[in-house]
Coordinates of all heavy atoms in Angstrom, one line a residue:
M976 N 92.3 78.6 61.2 CA 92.3 79.2 62.5 C 90.8 79.6 62.9 O 90.1 80.2 62.0 CB 93.2 80.5 62.5 CG 93.7 81.1 63.8 SD 94.6 82.5 63.7 CE 96.2 82.0 64.3
T977 N 90.5 79.3 64.1 CA 89.2 79.5 64.6 C 89.1 81.0 64.9 O 90.0 81.8 65.2 CB 88.7 78.8 65.7 OG1 89.5 79.0 66.9 CG2 88.8 77.3 65.3
T978 N 87.7 81.6 65.1 CA 87.6 82.9 65.5 C 88.1 83.2 66.8 O 88.7 84.4 67.0 CB 86.0 83.2 65.4 OG1 85.5 82.8 64.2 CG2 85.7 84.7 65.6
G979 N 87.9 82.4 67.9 CA 88.6 82.5 69.1 C 90.1 82.8 69.0 O 90.7 83.7 69.8
K980 N 90.7 81.9 68.4 CA 92.2 82.1 68.2 C 92.6 83.3 67.5 O 93.7 83.9 67.9 CB 92.8 80.8 67.5 CG 92.8 79.5 68.3 CD 93.3 78.4 67.6 CE 93.3 77.1 68.3 NZ 93.9 76.0 67.7
K981 N 91.8 83.7 66.6 CA 92.1 85.0 65.8 C 92.0 86.2 66.8 O 92.9 87.1 66.8 CB 91.2 85.2 64.7 CG 91.6 84.4 63.4 CD 90.6 84.7 62.3 CE 90.9 83.8 61.1 NZ 90.0 84.1 60.0
I982 N 91.0 86.2 67.6 CA 90.8 87.2 68.6 C 91.9 87.3 69.6 O 92.4 88.4 69.9 CB 89.4 87.1 69.2 CG1 88.2 87.3 68.3 CG2 89.3 88.1 70.5 CD1 86.9 87.1 68.8
I983 N 92.3 86.2 70.1 CA 93.5 86.1 71.1 C 94.7 86.7 70.4 O 95.5 87.3 70.9 CB 93.5 84.7 71.6 CG1 92.3 84.4 72.5 CG2 94.8 84.6 72.4 CD1 92.3 83.0 73.0
A984 N 95.0 86.2 69.1 CA 96.2 86.6 68.5 C 96.2 88.1 68.2 O 97.3 88.8 68.5 CB 96.3 85.9 67.1
I985 N 95.1 88.6 67.8 CA 95.0 90.0 67.4 C 95.1 90.9 68.7 O 95.9 91.9 68.8 CB 93.7 90.4 66.6 CG1 93.9 89.8 65.2 CG2 93.5 92.0 66.6 CD1 92.6 89.9 64.5
G986 N 94.5 90.3 69.9 CA 94.6 91.1 71.1 C 95.9 91.0 71.7 O 96.5 92.0 72.2
S987 N 96.7 89.9 71.6 CA 98.1 89.9 72.0 C 98.9 90.8 71.4 O 99.8 91.4 71.9 CB 98.6 88.3 71.9 OG 97.8 87.5 72.8
L988 N 98.8 90.9 70.0 CA 99.5 91.7 69.1 C 99.4 93.2 69.5 O 100.3 94.0 69.6 CB 99.2 91.5 67.6 CG 100.0 92.4 66.7 CD1 101.6 91.9 66.7 CD2 99.6 92.0 65.3
I989 N 98.1 93.5 69.7 CA 97.8 94.8 70.1 C 98.4 95.2 71.5 O 99.0 96.2 71.7 CB 96.3 95.1 70.2 CG1 95.7 95.2 68.7 CG2 96.0 96.5 70.8 CD1 94.2 95.2 68.7
I990 N 98.4 94.3 72.4 CA 99.0 94.5 73.7 C 100.5 94.6 73.7 O 101.0 95.6 74.2 CB 98.6 93.4 74.8 CG1 97.0 93.5 75.1 CG2 99.5 93.4 76.0 CD1 96.6 92.3 75.9
I991 N 101.1 93.8 72.8 CA 102.6 94.0 72.7 C 102.9 95.3 72.1 O 103.9 95.9 72.4 CB 103.1 92.8 71.9 CG1 103.0 91.5 72.6 CG2 104.5 93.0 71.4 CD1 103.3 90.2 71.9
L992 N 102.2 95.7 71.0 CA 102.5 97.0 70.4 C 102.2 98.2 71.3 O 103.2 99.1 71.3 CB 101.5 97.2 69.1 CG 101.9 96.3 67.9 CD1 100.9 96.5 66.7 CD2 103.4 96.7 67.4
V993 N 101.2 98.2 72.1 CA 101.0 99.2 73.0 C 102.0 99.3 74.1 O 102.6 100.3 74.5 CB 99.6 99.2 73.6 CG1 99.4 100.1 74.8 CG2 98.6 99.4 72.7
L994 N 102.4 98.1 74.6 CA 103.6 98.1 75.6 C 104.8 98.5 75.0 O 105.6 99.2 75.7 CB 103.6 96.6 76.1 CG 104.6 96.3 77.3 CD1 104.1 97.1 78.5 CD2 104.6 94.9 77.5
G995 N 105.1 98.2 73.8 CA 106.3 98.7 73.2 C 106.3 100.2 73.0 O 107.4 100.9 73.3
V996 N 105.2 100.9 72.6 CA 105.1 102.3 72.5 C 105.3 102.8 73.8 O 106.0 103.9 74.0 CB 103.9 102.6 71.9 CG1 103.5 104.1 71.9 CG2 103.7 102.2 70.4
V997 N 104.7 102.3 74.8 CA 104.8 102.9 76.3 C 106.3 103.0 76.7 O 106.8 103.9 77.3 CB 103.9 102.2 77.2 CG1 104.2 102.5 78.7 CG2 102.5 102.5 76.9
I998 N 107.0 101.7 76.5 CA 108.3 101.6 77.0 C 109.2 102.5 76.2 O 110.1 103.3 76.6 CB 108.8 100.3 76.8 CG1 108.2 99.3 77.8 CG2 110.4 100.1 76.8 CD1 108.4 97.7 77.7
Y999 N 109.0 102.8 74.9 CA 109.8 103.6 74.0 C 109.6 105.1 74.5 O 110.5 105.8 74.6 CB 109.5 103.5 72.6 CG 110.1 104.6 71.8 CD1 111.4 104.5 71.3 CD2 109.3 105.8 71.4 CE1 112.0 105.6 70.6 CE2 110.0 106.8 70.7 CZ 111.3 106.7 70.3 OH 111.9 107.6 69.6
Y1000 N 108.4 105.4 74.7 CA 108.1 106.8 75.1 C 108.7 107.2 76.5 O 109.2 108.3 76.8 CB 106.5 107.1 75.2 CG 106.2 108.4 75.6 CD1 106.3 109.5 74.7 CD2 105.7 108.7 77.0 CE1 105.9 110.8 75.1 CE2 105.4 110.0 77.3 CZ 105.5 111.1 76.4 OH 105.2 112.2 76.8
R1001 N 108.6 106.2 77.5 CA 109.0 106.4 78.8 C 110.5 106.5 78.9 O 111.1 107.2 79.7 CB 108.4 105.3 79.7 CG 108.9 105.3 81.1 CD 108.4 106.5 81.8 NE 108.8 106.4 83.3 CZ 109.7 107.2 83.8 NH1 110.5 108.0 83.0 NH2 110.0 107.1 85.1
Y1002 N 111.3 105.7 78.2 CA 112.7 105.5 78.4 C 113.6 106.1 77.2 O 114.7 106.4 77.5 CB 113.0 104.0 78.6 CG 112.4 103.5 79.9 CD1 111.4 102.7 79.8 CD2 112.9 103.9 81.1 CE1 110.8 102.2 81.1 CE2 112.5 103.4 82.3 CZ 111.4 102.6 82.2 OH 110.8 102.1 83.3
Y1003 N 113.0 106.2 76.0 CA 114.0 106.7 75.0 C 113.4 108.0 74.3 O 114.2 108.5 73.5 CB 113.9 105.4 73.9 CG 114.6 104.3 74.4 CD1 113.8 103.1 74.8 CD2 115.9 104.2 74.8 CE1 114.3 102.0 75.3 CE2 116.5 103.0 75.3 CZ 115.6 102.0 75.5 OH 116.2 100.9 76.1
F1004 N 112.3 108.5 74.5 CA 111.8 109.6 73.8 C 112.2 110.8 74.5 O 112.1 111.1 75.6 CB 110.2 109.6 73.8 CG 109.6 110.7 73.0 CD1 109.7 111.0 71.6 CD2 109.1 111.8 73.8 CE1 109.1 112.0 71.0 CE2 108.4 112.8 73.1 CZ 108.5 113.0 71.7
V1005 N 113.0 111.7 73.8 CA 113.5 113.0 74.5 C 112.5 114.0 74.3 O 112.1 114.5 73.2 CB 114.9 113.4 73.8 CG1 115.4 114.7 74.4 CG2 115.9 112.3 74.0
F1006 N 112.0 114.6 75.3 CA 111.0 115.6 75.2 C 111.4 116.9 75.6 O 110.7 117.9 75.7 CB 109.7 115.2 76.0 CG 110.0 114.9 77.4 CD1 110.0 116.0 78.4 CD2 110.2 113.6 78.0 CE1 110.3 115.8 79.8 CE2 110.4 113.4 79.2 CZ 110.4 114.4 80.2
G1007 N 112.6 117.1 76.0 CA 113.3 118.4 76.3 C 114.8 118.3 76.4 O 115.4 117.3 76.8
E1008 N 115.4 119.4 75.9 CA 116.8 119.5 76.1 C 117.1 121.0 76.5 O 116.3 121.8 76.3 CB 117.4 119.4 74.6 CG 117.3 118.0 74.1 CD 118.0 117.8 72.9 OE1 118.7 118.6 72.4 OE2 117.8 116.7 72.2
G1009 N 118.2 121.1 77.2 CA 118.6 122.5 77.7 C 119.6 122.3 78.8 O 120.2 121.2 79.0
V1010 N 119.8 123.4 79.5 CA 120.8 123.5 80.6 C 120.2 124.1 81.8 O 119.4 125.1 81.8 CB 122.0 124.5 80.1 CG1 123.0 124.6 81.2 CG2 122.7 123.9 78.9
K1011 N 120.5 123.4 82.9 CA 120.1 124.0 84.2 C 121.3 124.3 85.1 O 122.3 123.7 84.9 CB 119.3 122.9 85.0 CG 118.0 122.5 84.5 CD 116.9 123.5 85.0 CE 115.5 123.1 84.5 NZ 114.5 123.9 85.0
A1012 N 121.3 125.3 85.9 CA 122.4 125.7 86.7 C 121.9 125.6 88.2 O 120.8 126.0 88.6 CB 122.9 127.1 86.3
G1013 N 122.9 125.2 89.1 CA 122.7 125.3 90.5 C 123.7 124.5 91.1 O 124.8 124.1 90.6
D1014 N 123.4 124.1 92.4 CA 124.3 123.2 93.3 C 123.9 121.7 93.2 O 122.8 121.5 93.5 CB 124.4 123.7 94.7 CG 124.9 125.1 94.7 OD1 125.8 125.5 94.0 OD2 124.4 126.0 95.6
L1015 N 124.8 120.9 92.9 CA 124.5 119.5 92.8 C 124.3 119.0 94.3 O 125.3 119.1 95.1 CB 125.6 118.7 92.1 CG 125.3 117.2 91.9 CD1 124.2 117.0 91.0 CD2 126.6 116.6 91.3
N1016 N 123.2 118.4 94.6 CA 122.9 117.9 95.9 C 123.4 116.5 96.0 O 124.2 116.2 96.9 CB 121.3 118.0 96.2 CG 121.1 117.7 97.6 OD1 122.0 117.5 98.4 ND2 119.9 117.5 97.9
Y1017 N 123.0 115.6 95.1 CA 123.6 114.2 95.1 C 123.3 113.7 93.6 O 122.5 114.1 92.9 CB 123.0 113.4 96.2 CG 121.4 113.0 95.9 CD1 121.1 112.2 95.2 CD2 120.5 113.8 96.6 CE1 119.6 111.8 95.0 CE2 119.2 113.6 96.5 CZ 118.7 112.5 95.6 OH 117.5 112.3 95.4
I1018 N 124.1 112.5 93.4 CA 123.9 111.7 92.3 C 124.2 110.3 92.6 O 125.2 110.0 93.2 CB 124.8 112.2 91.0 CG1 124.3 111.4 89.8 CG2 126.1 112.1 91.3 CD1 124.7 112.1 88.5
V1019 N 123.2 109.3 92.3 CA 123.3 107.8 92.7 C 123.0 107.1 91.6 O 122.2 107.4 90.8 CB 122.5 107.6 94.0 CG1 122.9 108.3 95.2 CG2 121.1 107.9 93.8
K1020 N 123.6 105.8 91.5 CA 123.2 104.9 90.5 C 122.1 104.1 91.1 O 122.2 103.4 92.1 CB 124.4 104.2 90.1 CG 124.2 103.2 88.9 CD 125.4 102.4 88.5 CE 125.1 101.5 87.2 NZ 126.3 100.8 86.7
K1021 N 121.0 104.0 90.3 CA 119.9 103.1 90.8 C 119.0 102.7 89.6 O 119.1 103.2 88.5 CB 119.1 103.9 92.0 CG 118.3 105.0 91.4 CD 117.6 105.6 92.7 CE 116.6 106.6 92.3 NZ 115.9 107.2 93.4
G1022 N 118.1 101.7 90.0 CA 117.2 101.4 88.9 C 117.0 99.8 89.0 O 117.9 99.1 89.3
Y1023 N 115.8 99.3 88.7 CA 115.6 97.9 88.7 C 116.0 97.3 87.5 O 116.7 96.3 87.3 CB 114.1 97.6 89.0 CG 113.7 98.0 90.4 CD1 112.8 99.1 90.6 CD2 114.2 97.4 91.5 CE1 112.5 99.4 91.9 CE2 113.7 97.7 92.7 CZ 112.9 98.8 92.9 OH 112.5 99.1 94.2
L1024 N 115.4 97.8 86.4 CA 115.7 97.2 85.0 C 116.7 98.0 84.1 O 117.7 97.5 83.7 CB 114.5 97.2 84.1 CG 114.4 96.5 82.9 CD1 114.8 95.1 83.0 CD2 113.1 96.5 82.3
F1025 N 116.5 99.3 84.2 CA 117.5 100.3 83.5 C 118.2 101.0 84.6 O 117.8 101.9 85.3 CB 116.7 101.2 82.7 CG 115.9 100.6 81.6 CD1 114.5 100.4 81.7 CD2 116.5 100.1 80.5 CE1 113.8 99.9 80.7 CE2 115.7 99.5 79.5 CZ 114.4 99.3 79.6
K1026 N 119.6 100.6 84.8 CA 120.4 101.3 85.7 C 120.9 102.7 85.1 O 121.6 102.7 84.1 CB 121.6 100.5 86.0 CG 121.4 99.1 86.5 CD 120.9 99.2 87.9 CE 120.6 97.7 88.4 NZ 119.9 97.7 89.8
T1027 N 120.5 103.8 85.8 CA 120.9 105.1 85.5 C 121.3 105.8 86.7 O 121.1 105.3 87.8 CB 119.7 105.9 84.8 OG1 118.6 106.0 85.8 CG2 119.1 105.2 83.6
Y1028 N 122.0 106.9 86.5 CA 122.3 107.8 87.6 C 121.3 108.8 87.8 O 120.9 109.6 86.8 CB 123.6 108.6 87.3 CG 124.9 107.6 87.2 CD1 125.2 106.8 86.0 CD2 125.6 107.3 88.3 CE1 126.2 106.0 85.9 CE2 126.7 106.4 88.3 CZ 127.0 105.8 87.2 OH 128.1 104.9 87.2
E1029 N 120.8 108.9 88.9 CA 119.7 109.8 89.3 C 120.2 110.8 90.2 O 121.0 110.5 91.1 CB 118.6 109.1 90.0 CG 118.1 107.9 89.3 CD 117.3 108.2 88.2 OE1 116.6 109.3 88.1 OE2 117.4 107.5 87.0
G1030 N 120.0 112.1 89.9 CA 120.5 113.1 90.8 C 119.4 114.3 91.0 O 118.4 114.3 90.6
K1031 N 119.9 115.2 92.0 CA 119.1 116.3 92.4 C 120.0 117.6 92.3 O 121.0 117.6 93.0 CB 118.4 116.0 93.8 CG 117.4 117.0 94.2 CD 116.8 116.7 95.4 CE 115.8 115.6 95.2 NZ 115.0 115.4 96.5
L1032 N 119.5 118.6 91.8 CA 120.2 119.9 91.5 C 119.3 120.9 92.5 O 118.1 120.9 92.2 CB 120.2 120.2 90.1 CG 120.9 121.5 89.7 CD1 122.4 121.3 89.9 CD2 120.7 121.9 88.3
I1033 N 120.0 121.6 93.2 CA 119.3 122.7 93.9 C 119.5 124.0 93.3 O 120.6 124.5 93.1 CB 119.8 122.8 95.5 CG1 119.9 121.5 96.1 CG2 119.1 124.0 96.2 CD1 118.5 121.0 96.4
Q1034 N 118.4 124.7 92.9 CA 118.5 126.0 92.1 C 117.9 127.0 93.2 O 116.9 127.0 93.6 CB 117.6 126.0 90.9 CG 117.9 125.0 89.9 CD 117.0 125.0 88.8 OE1 115.8 124.6 89.0 NE2 117.4 125.5 87.7
S1035 N 118.9 127.9 93.7 CA 118.5 128.9 94.7 C 117.8 130.1 93.9 O 118.2 130.5 92.8 CB 119.6 129.3 95.6 OG 120.6 129.7 94.8
G1036 N 117.1 131.0 94.7 CA 116.6 132.2 94.2 C 115.4 132.2 93.4 O 115.1 133.1 92.7
I1037 N 114.6 131.0 93.4 CA 113.4 130.9 92.8 C 112.3 131.5 93.5 O 112.2 131.4 94.7 CB 113.1 129.5 92.3 CG1 114.2 128.8 91.6 CG2 111.9 129.4 91.5 CD1 114.7 129.3 90.3
R1038 N 111.5 132.4 92.8 CA 110.3 133.0 93.6 C 109.4 131.9 94.0 O 109.0 131.0 93.3 CB 109.6 134.0 92.5 CG 110.2 135.4 92.8 CD 109.3 136.4 92.1 NE 110.0 136.7 90.8 CZ 109.3 137.0 89.8 NH1 108.0 137.1 89.7 NH2 110.0 137.4 88.8
S1039 N 108.9 132.2 95.3 CA 107.9 131.2 95.8 C 106.5 131.8 95.5 O 106.3 132.9 94.9 CB 108.1 131.1 97.3 OG 107.7 132.1 98.0
K1040 N 105.4 131.2 96.0 CA 104.2 131.6 95.7 C 103.8 132.8 96.6 O 102.8 133.5 96.3 CB 103.1 130.5 95.9 CG 103.3 129.3 94.9 CD 102.4 128.2 95.2 CE 102.6 127.2 94.2 NZ 101.8 125.9 94.5
Q1041 N 104.4 133.0 97.7 CA 104.2 134.1 98.6 C 104.9 135.3 98.1 O 106.1 135.1 97.7 CB 104.4 133.9 100.0 CG 103.7 132.7 100.7 CD 104.0 132.4 102.1 OE1 105.2 132.5 102.5 NE2 103.2 131.9 102.9
T1042 N 104.3 136.4 98.1 CA 105.0 137.8 97.7 C 106.1 138.0 98.6 O 106.0 138.0 99.9 CB 103.9 138.9 97.7 OG1 102.9 138.4 96.8 CG2 104.6 139.9 97.1
G1043 N 107.2 138.4 98.1 CA 108.4 138.9 98.8 C 109.3 137.8 99.4 O 110.2 138.1 100.3
T1044 N 109.1 136.5 99.1 CA 109.9 135.4 99.7 C 110.8 134.7 98.6 O 110.3 134.9 97.4 CB 109.1 134.4 100.5 OG1 108.2 133.8 99.5 CG2 108.4 135.1 101.6
V1045 N 111.8 134.1 98.9 CA 112.6 133.5 98.0 C 112.7 132.0 98.5 O 112.8 131.7 99.7 CB 114.1 134.0 98.0 CG1 115.0 133.2 97.1 CG2 114.1 135.5 97.5
Q1046 N 112.7 131.2 97.6 CA 112.6 129.8 97.9 C 113.5 128.9 97.0 O 113.6 129.2 95.8 CB 111.1 129.1 97.8 CG 110.9 127.8 98.1 CD 109.5 127.4 97.9 OE1 108.6 128.2 98.1 NE2 109.2 126.1 97.6
S1047 N 114.1 127.8 97.4 CA 115.0 127.0 96.5 C 114.0 126.1 95.7 O 112.9 125.7 96.2 CB 116.0 126.2 97.3 OG 116.9 127.1 97.9
N1048 N 114.5 125.7 94.6 CA 113.7 124.8 93.7 C 114.7 123.5 93.6 O 115.9 123.6 93.3 CB 113.5 125.3 92.4 CG 112.6 124.4 91.4 OD1 111.9 123.6 92.0 ND2 112.9 124.4 90.2
E1049 N 114.2 122.3 93.7 CA 114.9 121.1 93.5 C 114.5 120.5 92.1 O 113.4 120.4 91.8 CB 114.6 119.9 94.6 CG 115.0 120.5 96.0 CD 114.7 119.4 97.0 OE1 113.9 118.4 96.8 OE2 115.3 119.5 98.0
F1050 N 115.6 120.2 91.3 CA 115.4 119.7 90.0 C 116.0 118.3 90.0 O 117.2 118.1 90.2 CB 116.1 120.7 89.0 CG 116.1 120.1 87.6 CD1 114.9 120.1 86.8 CD2 117.2 119.5 87.0 CE1 114.9 119.6 85.5 CE2 117.2 119.1 85.7 CZ 116.0 119.1 85.0
E1051 N 115.1 117.2 89.6 CA 115.6 115.9 89.6 C 115.9 115.6 88.2 O 115.2 115.9 87.3 CB 114.4 115.0 90.3 CG 114.3 115.2 91.8 CD 113.2 114.4 92.4 OE1 112.6 113.6 91.6 OE2 112.8 114.5 93.5
F1052 N 116.9 114.8 88.0 CA 117.4 114.5 86.7 C 117.9 113.0 86.4 O 118.3 112.5 87.7 CB 118.3 115.4 86.2 CG 119.6 115.5 86.9 CD1 120.7 114.8 86.6 CD2 119.7 116.4 88.0 CE1 121.9 114.8 87.3 CE2 120.9 116.5 88.7 CZ 121.9 115.7 88.4
S1053 N 118.1 112.5 85.4 CA 118.6 111.2 85.1 C 119.8 111.4 84.2 O 119.6 112.1 83.2 CB 117.6 110.2 84.6 OG 116.6 110.0 85.4
V1054 N 120.9 110.5 84.3 CA 122.0 110.5 83.4 C 122.3 109.1 83.2 O 122.4 108.3 84.0 CB 123.3 111.2 84.1 CG1 124.5 111.1 83.2 CG2 123.0 112.6 84.4
S1055 N 122.4 108.8 81.8 CA 122.7 107.3 81.5 C 124.1 107.0 81.2 O 124.6 105.9 81.2 CB 121.7 106.9 80.2 OG 122.2 107.9 79.1
D1056 N 124.8 108.2 80.9 CA 126.3 108.0 80.6 C 127.2 108.2 81.9 O 127.0 109.1 82.7 CB 126.7 109.1 79.6 CG 128.2 108.9 79.2 OD1 128.8 107.9 79.4 OD2 128.6 109.9 78.5
E1057 N 127.9 107.1 82.2 CA 128.8 107.1 83.5 C 129.8 108.2 83.5 O 130.0 108.8 84.6 CB 129.4 105.7 83.7 CG 130.2 105.6 85.0 CD 130.9 104.2 85.1 OE1 130.7 103.4 84.2 OE2 131.4 104.0 86.1
A1058 N 130.4 108.5 82.5 CA 131.5 109.6 82.4 C 130.7 110.9 82.7 O 131.4 111.7 83.5 CB 132.1 109.6 81.0
V1059 N 129.6 111.2 82.2 CA 128.9 112.5 82.6 C 128.6 112.6 84.1 O 128.6 113.6 84.7 CB 127.7 112.7 81.6 CG1 126.8 113.9 82.1 CG2 128.0 112.9 80.2
A1060 N 128.1 111.4 84.6 CA 127.6 111.4 86.0 C 128.9 111.6 86.9 O 128.7 112.3 87.9 CB 127.0 110.0 86.3
K1061 N 130.1 111.1 86.6 CA 131.2 111.2 87.5 C 131.8 112.6 87.3 O 132.4 113.0 88.3 CB 132.4 110.3 87.0 CG 131.8 108.8 87.3 CD 133.0 107.9 87.4 CE 132.6 106.5 87.6 NZ 132.3 106.2 89.0
K1062 N 131.5 113.4 86.3 CA 132.0 114.8 86.2 C 131.3 115.6 87.2 O 131.8 116.5 87.8 CB 131.8 115.4 84.8 CG 132.9 115.0 83.8 CD 132.7 115.9 82.6 CE 133.8 115.9 81.7 NZ 133.7 116.6 80.5

């Protein structure tokens, strides 16, 4: 194997490994767990490659940046289980 072919092979392997780590981190790594409460605004099934249910939860009574005012907070989330999304 020549030096040029070795560089291309090693470079390709590094790109594949980095791409694999990015995909794992973006779609499979859980970085938080917990419970949110509020009113469900909507939930829809969408996605190009990974079809998931995307929703928006309205949390009322969250303090805003201005003193003495109350503002709603929108929390966006994803659900991969159809049974959970239908509940």
Side-chain angles (χ1 to χ4, degrees):
M976 198 182 247
T977 64
T978 305
K980 287 183 181 181
K981 284 183 182 179
I982 291 173
I983 290 173
I985 291 172
S987 298
L988 183 62
I989 290 172
I990 289 172
I991 289 170
L992 286 173
V993 168
L994 190 60
V996 168
V997 168
I998 289 172
Y999 172 79
Y1000 180 77
R1001 175 69 176 100
Y1002 295 104
Y1003 299 106
F1004 181 71
V1005 177
F1006 57 87
E1008 294 181 10
V1010 176
K1011 293 269 186 184
D1014 297 321
L1015 183 63
N1016 191 8
Y1017 67 83
I1018 189 161
V1019 294
K1020 185 175 184 178
K1021 67 181 192 178
Y1023 293 112
L1024 186 58
F1025 300 102
K1026 301 288 185 190
T1027 59
Y1028 291 90
E1029 306 292 324
K1031 190 175 281 190
L1032 187 72
I1033 306 294
Q1034 296 175 297
S1035 59
I1037 306 297
R1038 266 191 255 151
S1039 69
K1040 294 179 182 177
Q1041 294 178 333
T1042 308
T1044 60
V1045 176
Q1046 175 181 334
S1047 295
N1048 183 33
E1049 293 181 346
F1050 175 72
E1051 297 178 358
F1052 61 93
S1053 296
V1054 177
S1055 58
D1056 187 7
E1057 183 178 1
V1059 173
K1061 292 200 182 278
K1062 272 188 173 183

